[in-house]
Amino acid sequence: MLYQQIAKNKRKTVLVLTGFFLLVALIGAALGYLFAGSPVSGIIIAGIITVIYISVMVSQSTEVVMNMNNAREIHSAQEAPELWHVVEDMAMVAQVPMPRVFIIDDPSPNAFATGNDPEHSAVAATTGLLQIMNREELEGVMGHEMSHVRNYDIRLQTIALALSAAISSLVNFFYWFGGGFRSNRDDDDAPGIIMIFGSILLVILAPLAASIAQMALSRNREYLADAGSVELTRNPLGLINALRKLENAAPMEKVPPSSSSLYISDPELNSRHRRLAHLFDTHPPLEDRIKRLEEM
């Protein structure tokens, strides 16, 4: 059951990332058609912009994300003994290097992992998490985060953030210079008008599609990391009990929206503030995650 779930989630991740890259290409083609009458030129330019964003984000992801979330780094076990030793143990079991460890001063329990790869990874936990979790539950949470590190989910999330930023830049270009796309074109016929209308509609709806893709990627990787935590700890009850405590947690005080998907549970909303549709959730419902863990 565990390995079937892992394989299924990996297939879904490939599909979501493929959709992400196709969306970038479509936006580039639409802008190329609108401004130069050449979809291919637009795709090439969009590709260059995307590569630049990914390169910058991958090289600086840890510092950027930790600064955004006001996290402070601890450098030894003396500063937070239980957290440090649990992270150390989970890294050893996962067979990855010891990540950098950060603490966020916030009473709401939560945690996340970030970085480029296992050799350049970091984990963060809130003060609220350290206060309410016992050793077994903390191991479940850190096993979840170490699974993100081991599975290179941290790089996937970084790439997703970069793709979203690239899409935003392309869309902003349209809004800034939208009045300047070619008006002297010979496409006053019905097909040409449909192409123009379709291209404009695609660019306008692109940010929404990018957000949905990023959220779908995050939801998919959370299920996989839950399964990975069970594999590392050999104790599903630790994570199950931890998630039950997170169900009644209050939202975090200050969280940048762009990093919400990194956390183990939605830092902005809890189970008592359910959205009308799960399409826009950054995380799967906690009750669904608990149910899957109980079935393992």
Side-chain angles (χ1 to χ4, degrees), residues 139-205:
E139 285 179 349
V141 171
M142 286 302 132
H144 174 102
E145 301 306 334
M146 214 54 61
S147 294
H148 279 313
V149 173
R150 183 186 62 171
N151 297 338
Y152 282 80
D153 294 346
I154 51 176
R155 178 178 291 177
L156 285 172
Q157 291 291 357
T158 298
I159 292 173
L161 287 172
L163 288 170
S164 294
I167 289 171
S168 296
S169 294
L170 292 170
V171 172
N172 287 337
F173 176 85
F174 171 77
Y175 286 125
W176 290 334
F177 303 104
F181 69 80
R182 298 197 319 155
S183 59
N184 59 341
R185 56 204 312 154
D186 298 325
D187 50 9
D188 293 332
D189 55 345
I193 293 174
I194 292 174
M195 285 293 292
I196 293 174
F197 178 77
S199 296
I200 294 174
L201 186 63
L202 173 63
V203 174
I204 292 174
L205 295 179

Short mmCIF file of all heavy atoms in Angstrom, two decimals, residues 139-205:
data_model
loop_
_atom_site.label_atom_id
_atom_site.label_comp_id
_atom_site.label_asym_id
_atom_site.label_seq_id
_atom_site.Cartn_x
_atom_site.Cartn_y
_atom_site.Cartn_z
N GLU A 139 8.93 13.53 15.90
CA GLU A 139 9.60 12.65 14.94
C GLU A 139 8.73 12.45 13.70
O GLU A 139 9.23 12.42 12.57
CB GLU A 139 9.90 11.30 15.59
CG GLU A 139 11.06 11.32 16.56
CD GLU A 139 11.30 9.97 17.20
OE1 GLU A 139 10.44 9.07 17.04
OE2 GLU A 139 12.35 9.81 17.86
N GLY A 140 7.41 12.32 13.89
CA GLY A 140 6.51 12.18 12.75
C GLY A 140 6.55 13.40 11.85
O GLY A 140 6.61 13.28 10.62
N VAL A 141 6.54 14.59 12.46
CA VAL A 141 6.59 15.84 11.68
C VAL A 141 7.91 15.98 10.96
O VAL A 141 7.96 16.30 9.76
CB VAL A 141 6.34 17.06 12.61
CG1 VAL A 141 6.60 18.36 11.85
CG2 VAL A 141 4.92 17.04 13.15
N MET A 142 9.02 15.75 11.66
CA MET A 142 10.33 15.90 11.03
C MET A 142 10.60 14.78 10.03
O MET A 142 11.32 14.97 9.05
CB MET A 142 11.43 15.94 12.10
CG MET A 142 11.46 17.26 12.85
SD MET A 142 11.71 18.66 11.75
CE MET A 142 10.42 19.78 12.30
N GLY A 143 10.00 13.60 10.25
CA GLY A 143 10.09 12.55 9.24
C GLY A 143 9.40 12.98 7.96
O GLY A 143 9.87 12.71 6.85
N HIS A 144 8.27 13.68 8.10
CA HIS A 144 7.55 14.25 6.96
C HIS A 144 8.44 15.25 6.21
O HIS A 144 8.58 15.18 4.98
CB HIS A 144 6.27 14.94 7.47
CG HIS A 144 5.51 15.69 6.43
ND1 HIS A 144 4.37 15.20 5.85
CD2 HIS A 144 5.72 16.92 5.89
CE1 HIS A 144 3.90 16.09 4.98
NE2 HIS A 144 4.70 17.14 4.99
N GLU A 145 9.06 16.15 6.97
CA GLU A 145 9.90 17.17 6.33
C GLU A 145 11.15 16.55 5.70
O GLU A 145 11.59 16.97 4.63
CB GLU A 145 10.30 18.25 7.35
CG GLU A 145 9.13 18.98 7.98
CD GLU A 145 8.17 19.58 6.96
OE1 GLU A 145 8.60 19.86 5.82
OE2 GLU A 145 6.99 19.74 7.30
N MET A 146 11.71 15.53 6.36
CA MET A 146 12.91 14.89 5.81
C MET A 146 12.56 14.11 4.55
O MET A 146 13.40 13.93 3.66
CB MET A 146 13.54 13.98 6.86
CG MET A 146 15.06 13.93 6.77
SD MET A 146 15.84 15.57 6.84
CE MET A 146 15.28 16.14 8.43
N SER A 147 11.32 13.65 4.45
CA SER A 147 10.88 13.00 3.21
C SER A 147 10.84 14.00 2.07
O SER A 147 11.18 13.68 0.93
CB SER A 147 9.50 12.37 3.42
OG SER A 147 9.56 11.32 4.35
N HIS A 148 10.41 15.23 2.37
CA HIS A 148 10.45 16.28 1.35
C HIS A 148 11.88 16.49 0.86
O HIS A 148 12.12 16.68 -0.34
CB HIS A 148 9.93 17.59 1.93
CG HIS A 148 8.43 17.70 1.97
ND1 HIS A 148 7.63 17.37 0.90
CD2 HIS A 148 7.59 18.13 2.95
CE1 HIS A 148 6.35 17.58 1.22
NE2 HIS A 148 6.31 18.03 2.46
N VAL A 149 12.82 16.46 1.80
CA VAL A 149 14.23 16.65 1.44
C VAL A 149 14.73 15.47 0.61
O VAL A 149 15.33 15.64 -0.46
CB VAL A 149 15.09 16.82 2.71
CG1 VAL A 149 16.58 16.84 2.35
CG2 VAL A 149 14.70 18.11 3.44
N ARG A 150 14.49 14.27 1.10
CA ARG A 150 14.99 13.06 0.43
C ARG A 150 14.40 12.90 -0.97
O ARG A 150 15.10 12.47 -1.90
CB ARG A 150 14.65 11.83 1.29
CG ARG A 150 15.17 10.52 0.73
CD ARG A 150 14.69 9.34 1.54
NE ARG A 150 13.23 9.20 1.53
CZ ARG A 150 12.59 8.16 2.02
NH1 ARG A 150 13.26 7.16 2.60
NH2 ARG A 150 11.27 8.09 1.97
N ASN A 151 13.13 13.25 -1.13
CA ASN A 151 12.44 13.08 -2.41
C ASN A 151 12.65 14.24 -3.37
O ASN A 151 12.05 14.27 -4.44
CB ASN A 151 10.94 12.90 -2.17
CG ASN A 151 10.61 11.66 -1.37
OD1 ASN A 151 11.39 10.73 -1.31
ND2 ASN A 151 9.44 11.66 -0.75
N TYR A 152 13.47 15.22 -2.96
CA TYR A 152 13.72 16.41 -3.77
C TYR A 152 12.44 17.24 -3.97
O TYR A 152 12.34 18.02 -4.91
CB TYR A 152 14.32 16.05 -5.13
CG TYR A 152 15.80 15.72 -5.08
CD1 TYR A 152 16.24 14.48 -4.65
CD2 TYR A 152 16.77 16.66 -5.42
CE1 TYR A 152 17.59 14.17 -4.58
CE2 TYR A 152 18.11 16.38 -5.37
CZ TYR A 152 18.53 15.12 -4.95
OH TYR A 152 19.87 14.83 -4.88
N ASP A 153 11.48 17.08 -3.06
CA ASP A 153 10.29 17.94 -3.11
C ASP A 153 10.67 19.40 -2.94
O ASP A 153 10.01 20.29 -3.48
CB ASP A 153 9.31 17.55 -2.00
CG ASP A 153 8.72 16.16 -2.21
OD1 ASP A 153 8.87 15.63 -3.32
OD2 ASP A 153 8.13 15.62 -1.26
N ILE A 154 11.71 19.65 -2.15
CA ILE A 154 12.13 21.03 -1.91
C ILE A 154 12.54 21.70 -3.22
O ILE A 154 12.26 22.88 -3.45
CB ILE A 154 13.27 21.10 -0.87
CG1 ILE A 154 14.41 20.13 -1.23
CG2 ILE A 154 12.74 20.77 0.52
CD1 ILE A 154 15.61 20.23 -0.29
N ARG A 155 13.20 20.95 -4.09
CA ARG A 155 13.57 21.52 -5.39
C ARG A 155 12.33 21.71 -6.27
O ARG A 155 12.21 22.73 -6.97
CB ARG A 155 14.58 20.62 -6.11
CG ARG A 155 14.97 21.12 -7.49
CD ARG A 155 16.00 20.24 -8.16
NE ARG A 155 17.29 20.33 -7.48
CZ ARG A 155 18.35 19.60 -7.83
NH1 ARG A 155 18.27 18.74 -8.83
NH2 ARG A 155 19.49 19.74 -7.19
N LEU A 156 11.41 20.75 -6.22
CA LEU A 156 10.18 20.89 -7.01
C LEU A 156 9.40 22.13 -6.60
O LEU A 156 8.89 22.87 -7.45
CB LEU A 156 9.31 19.64 -6.83
CG LEU A 156 9.75 18.38 -7.57
CD1 LEU A 156 8.90 17.20 -7.15
CD2 LEU A 156 9.66 18.59 -9.07
N GLN A 157 9.30 22.36 -5.28
CA GLN A 157 8.58 23.54 -4.82
C GLN A 157 9.29 24.82 -5.24
O GLN A 157 8.65 25.82 -5.58
CB GLN A 157 8.41 23.49 -3.30
CG GLN A 157 7.48 22.42 -2.79
CD GLN A 157 6.01 22.69 -3.15
OE1 GLN A 157 5.68 23.71 -3.73
NE2 GLN A 157 5.14 21.74 -2.82
N THR A 158 10.62 24.79 -5.22
CA THR A 158 11.39 25.96 -5.66
C THR A 158 11.14 26.23 -7.13
O THR A 158 10.95 27.38 -7.55
CB THR A 158 12.89 25.73 -5.41
OG1 THR A 158 13.12 25.57 -4.00
CG2 THR A 158 13.71 26.91 -5.91
N ILE A 159 11.14 25.17 -7.94
CA ILE A 159 10.88 25.34 -9.37
C ILE A 159 9.46 25.85 -9.59
O ILE A 159 9.23 26.71 -10.45
CB ILE A 159 11.11 24.01 -10.11
CG1 ILE A 159 12.60 23.65 -10.09
CG2 ILE A 159 10.60 24.08 -11.54
CD1 ILE A 159 12.91 22.27 -10.66
N ALA A 160 8.50 25.33 -8.81
CA ALA A 160 7.12 25.79 -8.95
C ALA A 160 7.00 27.28 -8.62
O ALA A 160 6.29 28.03 -9.31
CB ALA A 160 6.20 24.97 -8.04
N LEU A 161 7.71 27.72 -7.56
CA LEU A 161 7.70 29.15 -7.22
C LEU A 161 8.31 29.97 -8.35
O LEU A 161 7.80 31.05 -8.69
CB LEU A 161 8.49 29.38 -5.93
CG LEU A 161 7.84 28.92 -4.62
CD1 LEU A 161 8.82 29.05 -3.46
CD2 LEU A 161 6.59 29.75 -4.33
N ALA A 162 9.39 29.47 -8.94
CA ALA A 162 10.04 30.18 -10.04
C ALA A 162 9.13 30.25 -11.27
O ALA A 162 9.05 31.29 -11.94
CB ALA A 162 11.36 29.50 -10.40
N LEU A 163 8.44 29.15 -11.57
CA LEU A 163 7.53 29.14 -12.71
C LEU A 163 6.38 30.11 -12.49
O LEU A 163 5.97 30.82 -13.42
CB LEU A 163 6.99 27.72 -12.93
CG LEU A 163 7.99 26.71 -13.50
CD1 LEU A 163 7.41 25.30 -13.43
CD2 LEU A 163 8.34 27.05 -14.94
N SER A 164 5.86 30.15 -11.27
CA SER A 164 4.77 31.09 -10.97
C SER A 164 5.26 32.54 -11.12
O SER A 164 4.53 33.40 -11.64
CB SER A 164 4.26 30.87 -9.54
OG SER A 164 3.65 29.61 -9.43
N ALA A 165 6.49 32.79 -10.66
CA ALA A 165 7.05 34.14 -10.79
C ALA A 165 7.26 34.51 -12.25
O ALA A 165 7.00 35.65 -12.67
CB ALA A 165 8.37 34.23 -10.02
N ALA A 166 7.72 33.55 -13.06
CA ALA A 166 7.93 33.80 -14.48
C ALA A 166 6.60 34.10 -15.17
O ALA A 166 6.50 35.01 -16.00
CB ALA A 166 8.60 32.60 -15.13
N ILE A 167 5.56 33.33 -14.83
CA ILE A 167 4.24 33.56 -15.40
C ILE A 167 3.72 34.94 -15.02
O ILE A 167 3.16 35.67 -15.84
CB ILE A 167 3.27 32.45 -14.95
CG1 ILE A 167 3.63 31.13 -15.64
CG2 ILE A 167 1.83 32.83 -15.26
CD1 ILE A 167 2.89 29.93 -15.11
N SER A 168 3.92 35.31 -13.77
CA SER A 168 3.50 36.64 -13.32
C SER A 168 4.20 37.75 -14.10
O SER A 168 3.58 38.75 -14.48
CB SER A 168 3.77 36.81 -11.82
OG SER A 168 3.01 35.92 -11.07
N SER A 169 5.49 37.57 -14.36
CA SER A 169 6.24 38.56 -15.12
C SER A 169 5.72 38.68 -16.55
O SER A 169 5.58 39.79 -17.09
CB SER A 169 7.73 38.20 -15.15
OG SER A 169 8.29 38.27 -13.87
N LEU A 170 5.43 37.55 -17.17
CA LEU A 170 4.90 37.56 -18.54
C LEU A 170 3.54 38.25 -18.58
O LEU A 170 3.25 39.03 -19.49
CB LEU A 170 4.80 36.14 -19.07
CG LEU A 170 6.13 35.41 -19.33
CD1 LEU A 170 5.88 33.94 -19.60
CD2 LEU A 170 6.88 36.05 -20.49
N VAL A 171 2.70 37.95 -17.61
CA VAL A 171 1.37 38.57 -17.57
C VAL A 171 1.48 40.06 -17.30
O VAL A 171 0.76 40.87 -17.90
CB VAL A 171 0.50 37.88 -16.50
CG1 VAL A 171 -0.82 38.63 -16.30
CG2 VAL A 171 0.22 36.44 -16.90
N ASN A 172 2.39 40.45 -16.40
CA ASN A 172 2.59 41.88 -16.13
C ASN A 172 3.06 42.62 -17.38
O ASN A 172 2.67 43.77 -17.61
CB ASN A 172 3.61 42.06 -15.00
CG ASN A 172 3.05 41.69 -13.64
OD1 ASN A 172 1.83 41.69 -13.44
ND2 ASN A 172 3.92 41.34 -12.71
N PHE A 173 3.88 41.95 -18.18
CA PHE A 173 4.32 42.55 -19.44
C PHE A 173 3.12 42.87 -20.32
O PHE A 173 3.05 43.94 -20.94
CB PHE A 173 5.27 41.60 -20.18
CG PHE A 173 5.71 42.10 -21.52
CD1 PHE A 173 6.78 42.96 -21.66
CD2 PHE A 173 5.02 41.70 -22.67
CE1 PHE A 173 7.16 43.43 -22.90
CE2 PHE A 173 5.40 42.17 -23.93
CZ PHE A 173 6.48 43.03 -24.04
N PHE A 174 2.17 41.96 -20.37
CA PHE A 174 0.97 42.19 -21.17
C PHE A 174 0.19 43.39 -20.65
O PHE A 174 -0.27 44.24 -21.41
CB PHE A 174 0.08 40.94 -21.16
CG PHE A 174 -1.27 41.16 -21.78
CD1 PHE A 174 -1.42 41.20 -23.15
CD2 PHE A 174 -2.39 41.34 -20.97
CE1 PHE A 174 -2.67 41.41 -23.72
CE2 PHE A 174 -3.64 41.55 -21.54
CZ PHE A 174 -3.78 41.59 -22.92
N TYR A 175 0.04 43.49 -19.31
CA TYR A 175 -0.73 44.60 -18.75
C TYR A 175 -0.01 45.94 -18.94
O TYR A 175 -0.65 46.97 -19.13
CB TYR A 175 -1.01 44.35 -17.26
CG TYR A 175 -2.06 43.30 -17.01
CD1 TYR A 175 -1.81 42.18 -16.22
CD2 TYR A 175 -3.32 43.41 -17.59
CE1 TYR A 175 -2.78 41.22 -16.00
CE2 TYR A 175 -4.30 42.45 -17.37
CZ TYR A 175 -4.01 41.36 -16.57
OH TYR A 175 -4.98 40.40 -16.36
N TRP A 176 1.34 45.89 -18.88
CA TRP A 176 2.10 47.14 -19.06
C TRP A 176 2.07 47.63 -20.50
O TRP A 176 1.96 48.81 -20.77
CB TRP A 176 3.55 46.92 -18.64
CG TRP A 176 3.72 46.74 -17.16
CD1 TRP A 176 2.92 47.22 -16.16
CD2 TRP A 176 4.78 46.04 -16.51
NE1 TRP A 176 3.39 46.83 -14.93
CE2 TRP A 176 4.55 46.10 -15.11
CE3 TRP A 176 5.90 45.34 -16.96
CZ2 TRP A 176 5.38 45.52 -14.19
CZ3 TRP A 176 6.73 44.76 -16.03
CH2 TRP A 176 6.47 44.84 -14.66
N PHE A 177 2.19 46.70 -21.43
CA PHE A 177 2.34 47.08 -22.84
C PHE A 177 1.20 46.53 -23.71
O PHE A 177 1.33 46.48 -24.93
CB PHE A 177 3.68 46.56 -23.38
CG PHE A 177 4.86 47.05 -22.60
CD1 PHE A 177 5.51 46.20 -21.70
CD2 PHE A 177 5.32 48.35 -22.72
CE1 PHE A 177 6.60 46.64 -20.96
CE2 PHE A 177 6.41 48.80 -21.99
CZ PHE A 177 7.06 47.95 -21.11
N GLY A 178 0.09 46.16 -23.07
CA GLY A 178 -1.01 45.55 -23.81
C GLY A 178 -1.56 46.42 -24.92
O GLY A 178 -2.04 45.92 -25.94
N GLY A 179 -1.48 47.73 -24.74
CA GLY A 179 -2.00 48.62 -25.77
C GLY A 179 -1.11 48.69 -26.99
O GLY A 179 -1.49 49.30 -28.00
N GLY A 180 0.06 48.06 -26.91
CA GLY A 180 1.00 48.18 -28.02
C GLY A 180 1.08 46.96 -28.90
O GLY A 180 1.94 46.89 -29.77
N PHE A 181 0.21 45.94 -28.70
CA PHE A 181 0.32 44.79 -29.59
C PHE A 181 -0.23 45.16 -30.96
O PHE A 181 -1.03 46.07 -31.12
CB PHE A 181 -0.34 43.54 -29.01
CG PHE A 181 -1.83 43.55 -28.92
CD1 PHE A 181 -2.61 43.28 -30.03
CD2 PHE A 181 -2.46 43.79 -27.71
CE1 PHE A 181 -4.00 43.26 -29.94
CE2 PHE A 181 -3.83 43.78 -27.62
CZ PHE A 181 -4.60 43.52 -28.73
N ARG A 182 0.22 44.46 -31.96
CA ARG A 182 0.08 44.88 -33.35
C ARG A 182 -1.37 45.18 -33.73
O ARG A 182 -2.24 44.33 -33.63
CB ARG A 182 0.61 43.79 -34.29
CG ARG A 182 2.07 43.50 -34.09
CD ARG A 182 2.66 42.76 -35.26
NE ARG A 182 1.74 41.73 -35.73
CZ ARG A 182 1.74 41.27 -36.98
NH1 ARG A 182 2.57 41.76 -37.86
NH2 ARG A 182 0.91 40.30 -37.35
N SER A 183 -1.60 46.42 -34.19
CA SER A 183 -2.93 46.83 -34.62
C SER A 183 -3.05 46.87 -36.13
O SER A 183 -4.14 47.03 -36.66
CB SER A 183 -3.26 48.21 -34.03
OG SER A 183 -2.30 49.16 -34.46
N ASN A 184 -1.91 46.75 -36.81
CA ASN A 184 -1.93 46.86 -38.27
C ASN A 184 -1.84 45.49 -38.92
O ASN A 184 -1.29 45.32 -40.00
CB ASN A 184 -0.75 47.71 -38.75
CG ASN A 184 0.58 47.13 -38.32
OD1 ASN A 184 0.62 46.33 -37.41
ND2 ASN A 184 1.66 47.58 -38.98
N ARG A 185 -2.39 44.49 -38.26
CA ARG A 185 -2.29 43.14 -38.75
C ARG A 185 -3.42 42.84 -39.72
O ARG A 185 -4.49 43.45 -39.68
CB ARG A 185 -2.30 42.14 -37.59
CG ARG A 185 -3.49 42.25 -36.70
CD ARG A 185 -3.22 41.70 -35.30
NE ARG A 185 -2.59 40.40 -35.36
CZ ARG A 185 -1.81 39.93 -34.39
NH1 ARG A 185 -1.57 40.67 -33.33
NH2 ARG A 185 -1.27 38.75 -34.48
N ASP A 186 -3.21 41.88 -40.58
CA ASP A 186 -4.22 41.51 -41.58
C ASP A 186 -4.99 40.28 -41.10
O ASP A 186 -5.03 39.25 -41.76
CB ASP A 186 -3.54 41.21 -42.93
CG ASP A 186 -2.83 42.43 -43.49
OD1 ASP A 186 -3.35 43.55 -43.28
OD2 ASP A 186 -1.76 42.26 -44.12
N ASP A 187 -5.53 40.38 -39.92
CA ASP A 187 -6.29 39.24 -39.40
C ASP A 187 -7.65 39.72 -38.89
O ASP A 187 -8.04 39.42 -37.77
CB ASP A 187 -5.53 38.49 -38.30
CG ASP A 187 -4.99 39.43 -37.24
OD1 ASP A 187 -5.36 40.62 -37.25
OD2 ASP A 187 -4.22 38.95 -36.39
N ASP A 188 -8.32 40.54 -39.73
CA ASP A 188 -9.63 41.02 -39.36
C ASP A 188 -10.72 39.98 -39.64
O ASP A 188 -11.89 40.23 -39.36
CB ASP A 188 -9.97 42.31 -40.14
CG ASP A 188 -9.06 43.46 -39.73
OD1 ASP A 188 -8.61 43.44 -38.57
OD2 ASP A 188 -8.82 44.35 -40.56
N ASP A 189 -10.32 38.84 -40.22
CA ASP A 189 -11.29 37.80 -40.46
C ASP A 189 -11.65 37.11 -39.15
O ASP A 189 -11.00 37.32 -38.12
CB ASP A 189 -10.76 36.79 -41.48
CG ASP A 189 -9.43 36.20 -41.06
OD1 ASP A 189 -8.79 36.78 -40.14
OD2 ASP A 189 -9.02 35.16 -41.61
N ALA A 190 -12.68 36.28 -39.20
CA ALA A 190 -13.16 35.63 -37.98
C ALA A 190 -12.10 34.80 -37.28
O ALA A 190 -11.93 34.90 -36.06
CB ALA A 190 -14.39 34.78 -38.31
N PRO A 191 -11.33 33.93 -38.00
CA PRO A 191 -10.29 33.15 -37.32
C PRO A 191 -9.26 34.02 -36.61
O PRO A 191 -8.81 33.71 -35.51
CB PRO A 191 -9.65 32.33 -38.45
CG PRO A 191 -10.72 32.25 -39.49
CD PRO A 191 -11.43 33.56 -39.42
N GLY A 192 -8.86 35.13 -37.26
CA GLY A 192 -7.87 36.03 -36.64
C GLY A 192 -8.40 36.67 -35.39
O GLY A 192 -7.69 36.79 -34.38
N ILE A 193 -9.67 37.10 -35.42
CA ILE A 193 -10.28 37.72 -34.24
C ILE A 193 -10.38 36.70 -33.10
O ILE A 193 -10.13 37.02 -31.94
CB ILE A 193 -11.67 38.28 -34.59
CG1 ILE A 193 -11.52 39.45 -35.58
CG2 ILE A 193 -12.41 38.73 -33.34
CD1 ILE A 193 -12.83 39.98 -36.10
N ILE A 194 -10.73 35.47 -33.44
CA ILE A 194 -10.82 34.42 -32.43
C ILE A 194 -9.45 34.17 -31.80
O ILE A 194 -9.33 33.99 -30.58
CB ILE A 194 -11.38 33.12 -33.05
CG1 ILE A 194 -12.84 33.32 -33.44
CG2 ILE A 194 -11.24 31.95 -32.08
CD1 ILE A 194 -13.44 32.15 -34.19
N MET A 195 -8.39 34.17 -32.62
CA MET A 195 -7.03 33.96 -32.10
C MET A 195 -6.63 35.07 -31.14
O MET A 195 -6.04 34.82 -30.09
CB MET A 195 -6.05 33.87 -33.26
CG MET A 195 -6.10 32.55 -34.02
SD MET A 195 -5.52 31.16 -33.02
CE MET A 195 -3.78 31.57 -32.85
N ILE A 196 -6.95 36.31 -31.51
CA ILE A 196 -6.61 37.44 -30.64
C ILE A 196 -7.37 37.33 -29.31
O ILE A 196 -6.79 37.47 -28.24
CB ILE A 196 -6.95 38.78 -31.34
CG1 ILE A 196 -6.03 39.00 -32.54
CG2 ILE A 196 -6.79 39.94 -30.36
CD1 ILE A 196 -6.39 40.21 -33.36
N PHE A 197 -8.66 37.08 -29.41
CA PHE A 197 -9.48 36.97 -28.21
C PHE A 197 -9.00 35.82 -27.32
O PHE A 197 -8.87 35.95 -26.11
CB PHE A 197 -10.95 36.77 -28.59
CG PHE A 197 -11.85 36.60 -27.41
CD1 PHE A 197 -12.25 37.69 -26.64
CD2 PHE A 197 -12.31 35.33 -27.04
CE1 PHE A 197 -13.08 37.52 -25.55
CE2 PHE A 197 -13.14 35.16 -25.94
CZ PHE A 197 -13.52 36.26 -25.19
N GLY A 198 -8.71 34.67 -27.95
CA GLY A 198 -8.25 33.52 -27.19
C GLY A 198 -6.91 33.76 -26.51
O GLY A 198 -6.69 33.35 -25.37
N SER A 199 -6.01 34.47 -27.21
CA SER A 199 -4.69 34.76 -26.64
C SER A 199 -4.82 35.69 -25.44
O SER A 199 -4.17 35.47 -24.40
CB SER A 199 -3.80 35.41 -27.70
OG SER A 199 -3.55 34.51 -28.77
N ILE A 200 -5.65 36.73 -25.57
CA ILE A 200 -5.85 37.66 -24.46
C ILE A 200 -6.48 36.94 -23.27
O ILE A 200 -6.06 37.12 -22.12
CB ILE A 200 -6.73 38.84 -24.91
CG1 ILE A 200 -5.99 39.69 -25.95
CG2 ILE A 200 -7.11 39.71 -23.70
CD1 ILE A 200 -6.84 40.79 -26.56
N LEU A 201 -7.48 36.11 -23.53
CA LEU A 201 -8.14 35.36 -22.45
C LEU A 201 -7.16 34.44 -21.75
O LEU A 201 -7.16 34.33 -20.51
CB LEU A 201 -9.31 34.56 -23.02
CG LEU A 201 -10.20 33.83 -22.01
CD1 LEU A 201 -10.88 34.83 -21.09
CD2 LEU A 201 -11.24 32.97 -22.72
N LEU A 202 -6.28 33.78 -22.51
CA LEU A 202 -5.29 32.88 -21.93
C LEU A 202 -4.35 33.63 -21.00
O LEU A 202 -4.06 33.17 -19.88
CB LEU A 202 -4.49 32.19 -23.04
CG LEU A 202 -3.30 31.34 -22.59
CD1 LEU A 202 -3.77 30.16 -21.75
CD2 LEU A 202 -2.52 30.83 -23.81
N VAL A 203 -3.88 34.79 -21.43
CA VAL A 203 -2.95 35.58 -20.61
C VAL A 203 -3.63 36.05 -19.33
O VAL A 203 -3.04 36.03 -18.24
CB VAL A 203 -2.41 36.78 -21.41
CG1 VAL A 203 -1.57 37.68 -20.51
CG2 VAL A 203 -1.58 36.30 -22.59
N ILE A 204 -4.90 36.46 -19.44
CA ILE A 204 -5.62 36.95 -18.26
C ILE A 204 -5.85 35.84 -17.24
O ILE A 204 -5.72 36.04 -16.02
CB ILE A 204 -6.97 37.57 -18.69
CG1 ILE A 204 -6.72 38.86 -19.48
CG2 ILE A 204 -7.85 37.85 -17.47
CD1 ILE A 204 -7.98 39.46 -20.08
N LEU A 205 -6.16 34.64 -17.73
CA LEU A 205 -6.47 33.52 -16.83
C LEU A 205 -5.22 32.76 -16.37
O LEU A 205 -5.31 31.90 -15.50
CB LEU A 205 -7.42 32.54 -17.51
CG LEU A 205 -8.83 33.08 -17.84
CD1 LEU A 205 -9.65 32.01 -18.53
CD2 LEU A 205 -9.53 33.54 -16.57
#
